[in-house]
């Protein structure tokens, strides 16, 4: 809050980068959740078909896939709530975002092991680490301490 005609500093580039990434991630996450859920429903509906059974044999059990989908949905909702709170400049928001990306990194590791999709989960893991690093910068700490 500004007192005695002090100017409120603008959002630093590190925080803006995190915010932009989070908005893009929320939109893509919602789209991917819809496509993923429809895909799982389709695979379940066609489970008697020999070609579908052969193609899905390499995938983890359907229950594991639904659990991963549910965890992803929770992370997308948490990310939406936190990105909306960024302009409030509360330290708890920064801490929440850092923890969100820590959890996301762990989920990416587990998903990579379970699904053997190393490339996309590896990229997501690297992005989580990068965004945590941006939030650990002095500018980000100052912004969220106001």
């Amino acid at each position: 809050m500004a007192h005695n005609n002090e100017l409120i500093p603008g959002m630093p580039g590190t925080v803006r980068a995190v915010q932009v990434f989070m908005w893009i991630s929320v939109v893509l996450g919602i789209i991917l959740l819809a496509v993923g859920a429809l895909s799982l429903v389709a695979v379940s509906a066609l489970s008697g078909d020999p070609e579908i059974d052969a193609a899905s044999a390499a995938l983890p059990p359907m229950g594991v896939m639904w659990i991963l989908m549910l965890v992803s949905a929770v992370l997308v909702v948490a990310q939406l709530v936190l990105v909306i709170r960024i302009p409030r400049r509360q330290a708890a928001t920064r801490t929440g975002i850092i923890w969100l990306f820590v959890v996301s990194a762990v989920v990416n590791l587990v998903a990579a092991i379970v699904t053997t999709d190393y490339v996309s989960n590896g990229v997501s893991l690297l992005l989580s680490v990068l965004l945590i690093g941006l939030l650990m910068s002095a500018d980000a700490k100052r912004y969220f301490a106001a």
Side-chain angles (χ1 to χ4, degrees), residues 68 105-115:
L68 286 173
V106 170
V107 168
N108 284 318
L109 283 174
V110 170
I113 292 166
V114 170
T115 64

Side-chain angles (χ1 to χ4, degrees), residues 98-117:
I98 290 170
W99 277 107
L100 173 76
F101 286 124
V102 167
V103 169
S104 180
V106 170
V107 168
N108 284 318
L109 283 174
V110 170
I113 292 166
V114 170
T115 64
T116 64
D117 179 12

Side-chain angles (χ1 to χ4, degrees), residues 45-69:
L46 299 172
S47 62
D49 187 299
E51 290 180 25
I52 298 294
D53 288 341
S56 64
L59 295 174
M62 196 57 67
V64 172
M65 296 300 288
W66 279 109
I67 289 171
L68 286 173
M69 186 73 61

Side-chain angles (χ1 to χ4, degrees), residues 26-113:
V26 165
V27 171
L28 289 177
I30 291 169
I31 292 168
L32 291 175
L33 282 171
V35 170
L38 290 173
S39 299
L40 290 178
V41 168
V43 169
S44 294
L46 299 172
S47 62
D49 187 299
E51 290 180 25
I52 298 294
D53 288 341
S56 64
L59 295 174
M62 196 57 67
V64 172
M65 296 300 288
W66 279 109
I67 289 171
L68 286 173
M69 186 73 61
L70 180 63
V71 169
S72 296
V74 168
L75 290 174
V76 168
V77 170
Q79 192 167 5
L80 176 62
V81 169
L82 288 169
V83 74
I84 289 170
R85 295 179 56 88
I86 286 175
R88 294 184 184 178
R89 304 175 62 142
Q90 297 170 337
T93 300
R94 179 180 159 271
T95 303
I97 295 170
I98 290 170
W99 277 107
L100 173 76
F101 286 124
V102 167
V103 169
S104 180
V106 170
V107 168
N108 284 318
L109 283 174
V110 170
I113 292 166

